[in-house]
């Protein structure tokens, strides 16, 4: 029943998920304020809410436009459910913005398969990742994706491999010019020298640990069917699925290397899970298993905030 409802892409599906995402975001950011209430704070949080909702639309665009899934709403459903489970993700700020630019980059990288405007897409994707790293330095690891995309779709011109470096230099020069004009100081690269934090105390908190267990179980199931699809599909589609898998793996790497573990860094692998999980929900048969998986996620979203936040 749950899977069947979101099996088709309808505006009502976007509305339902968007409304719930908004409600949970407001509950996390306005009913659990860590600072004094003010109009500038409302404006700031509203901006983050808009970015949060835009992530849903960009994710849906990537999945549908590139044929990762059929015409359904599973990607937005999974993204909404997974992010609403974790309070630190809903309260994320810089990581939320960084994820927004990383998704824009992924969109460009996957679109390399069309063979059109190759150099422009590589440059744009690399620059988006460079911009993302300004908000969360470790997102620079996603720069691996353009090189893999070039390997799959654009190896005919070796100079394509130099384009990401050009994009990085251009971004650095633009940011440095902005710093000098506005702040009258040069931009420092020292923020990119991060030391991994081995303290995982936040993951031992019930409001993070319990949702994380549920998400991990769903991830394992999704990963099984995703790898199966990668093995059985045609070569061109296999390259695209590998980019998504690599996106997920880089997200996990960022979680491990995060200089300050708050739980918000889990947003990066969640984006990958939202795309991989679509393959599981589209699998023929397994109706009962899919219904149970979605039911557990929905129940967790409805119960955990009231019990653990």
């Amino acid at each position: 029943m749950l899977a069947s409802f979101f099996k088709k892409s309808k505006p009502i599906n976007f509305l339902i998920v968007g409304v719930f995402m908004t409600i949970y975001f407001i509950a996390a950011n306005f009913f659990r304020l860590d600072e004094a209430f003010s109009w500038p704070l409302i404006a700031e949080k509203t901006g983050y809410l808009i970015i949060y909702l835009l992530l849903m639309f960009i994710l849906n665009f990537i999945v549908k436009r590139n044929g990762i899934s059929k015409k359904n709403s599973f990607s937005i459903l999974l993204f909404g459910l997974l992010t609403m489970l974790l309070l630190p993700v809903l309260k994320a700020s810089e990581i939320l913005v960084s994820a927004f630019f990383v998704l824009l980059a992924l969109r460009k990288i996957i679109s390399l398969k069309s063979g059109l405007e190759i150099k422009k897409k590589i440059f744009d994707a690399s620059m988006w990742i460079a911009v993302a790293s300004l908000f969360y330095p470790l997102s620079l690891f996603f720069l691996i994706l353009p090189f893999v995309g070039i390997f799959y779709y654009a190896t005919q011109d070796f100079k394509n491999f130099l384009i990401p470096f050009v994009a990085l230099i251009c971004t650095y020069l633009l940011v440095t010019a902005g710093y000098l004009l506005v702040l009258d100081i040069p931009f420092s690269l020292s923020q990119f020298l991060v030391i991994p934090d081995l303290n995982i105390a936040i993951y031992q908190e019930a409001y993070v640990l319990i949702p994380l267990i549920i998400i991990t179980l769903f991830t394992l199931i999704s990963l099984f069917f995703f790898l199966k699809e990668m093995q059985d599909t045609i070569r061109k589609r296999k390259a695209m699925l590998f980019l998504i898998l690599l996106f997920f793996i880089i997200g996990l790497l960022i979680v491990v290397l995060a200089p300050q573990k708050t739980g918000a860094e889990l947003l990066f692998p969640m984006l990958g899970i939202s795309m991989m999980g679509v393959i599981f929900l589209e699998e023929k048969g397994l109706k009962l298993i899919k219904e149970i998986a979605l039911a557990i996620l929905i129940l967790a979203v409805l119960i955990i905030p009231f019990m653990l936040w």
Side-chain angles (χ1 to χ4, degrees), residues 112 116-125 154 156-160 163:
L112 288 173
L116 302 173
E117 299 182 314
I118 293 291
K119 288 179 171 55
K120 182 179 183 299
K121 289 177 180 177
I122 296 171
F123 183 87
D124 289 348
Q156 65 273 16
D157 188 350
F158 180 76
K159 288 184 289 186
N160 288 336
I163 296 175

Side-chain angles (χ1 to χ4, degrees), residues 2-3 36 42 67 70 99 102 105 107 109 122 124 137 140 144 169 177 202 214 220 225 247 261 273 289 301 303 308:
L2 293 171
I42 292 177
K70 300 170 185 176
V102 166
R107 171 181 169 269
I109 294 165
I122 296 171
D124 289 348
L140 197 62
I144 296 170
I169 293 171
I202 188 66
I214 296 170
L220 292 174
F225 288 99
F247 183 96
K261 291 180 172 56
I273 299 167
I289 296 176
V301 166
I303 295 173
L308 301 178

Side-chain angles (χ1 to χ4, degrees), residues 213-227 248 273 276:
I213 291 172
I214 296 170
I215 292 170
T216 301
L217 291 174
F218 181 81
T219 301
L220 292 174
I221 297 172
S222 298
L223 191 58
F224 172 81
F225 288 99
F226 187 83
L227 293 175
F248 169 69
I273 299 167
M276 295 192 302

Side-chain angles (χ1 to χ4, degrees), residues 122-301:
I122 296 171
F123 183 87
D124 289 348
S126 303
M127 181 166 274
W128 284 136
I129 292 170
V131 172
S133 70
L134 297 175
F135 294 92
Y136 194 72
L138 283 182
S139 58
L140 197 62
F141 277 112
F142 285 106
L143 199 63
I144 296 170
L145 293 173
F147 289 102
V148 176
I150 294 168
F151 175 78
Y152 275 121
Y153 302 118
T155 52
Q156 65 273 16
D157 188 350
F158 180 76
K159 288 184 289 186
N160 288 336
F161 285 99
L162 301 177
I163 296 175
F165 297 109
V166 175
L168 282 179
I169 293 171
C170 288
T171 306
Y172 173 74
L173 293 176
L174 288 171
V175 173
T176 299
Y179 264 65
L180 290 172
L181 285 172
V182 178
L183 303 176
D184 199 28
I185 57 171
F187 174 68
S188 175
L189 294 175
S190 60
Q191 63 173 313
F192 293 94
L193 301 175
V194 299
I195 300 175
D197 181 12
L198 301 179
N199 183 3
I200 58 171
I202 188 66
Y203 295 126
Q204 297 172 349
E205 297 288 341
Y207 68 92
V208 174
L209 179 61
I210 294 175
L212 191 56
I213 291 172
I214 296 170
I215 292 170
T216 301
L217 291 174
F218 181 81
T219 301
L220 292 174
I221 297 172
S222 298
L223 191 58
F224 172 81
F225 288 99
F226 187 83
L227 293 175
K228 180 175 176 291
E229 176 72 11
M230 277 187 64
Q231 186 177 11
D232 298 339
T233 195
I234 59 175
R235 183 178 179 181
K236 191 173 182 179
R237 179 174 162 81
K238 189 175 293 186
M240 179 175 58
L241 294 181
F242 179 76
L243 284 169
I244 293 171
L245 178 63
L246 184 58
F247 183 96
F248 169 69
I249 292 171
I250 294 172
L252 289 180
L253 179 64
I254 290 174
V255 170
V256 173
L257 298 178
Q260 184 179 2
K261 291 180 172 56
T262 63
E265 61 276 358
L266 290 167
L267 176 62
F268 290 114
M270 277 182 177
L271 293 170
I273 299 167
S274 299
M275 291 183 279
M276 295 192 302
V278 170
I279 303 296
F280 161 54
L281 295 178
E282 287 184 344
E283 184 75 16
K284 293 181 179 179
L286 306 173
K287 183 177 180 180
L288 181 61
I289 296 176
K290 290 185 286 189
E291 293 290 347
I292 292 173
L294 286 178
I296 291 174
L297 286 175
I298 291 173
L299 285 174
V301 166

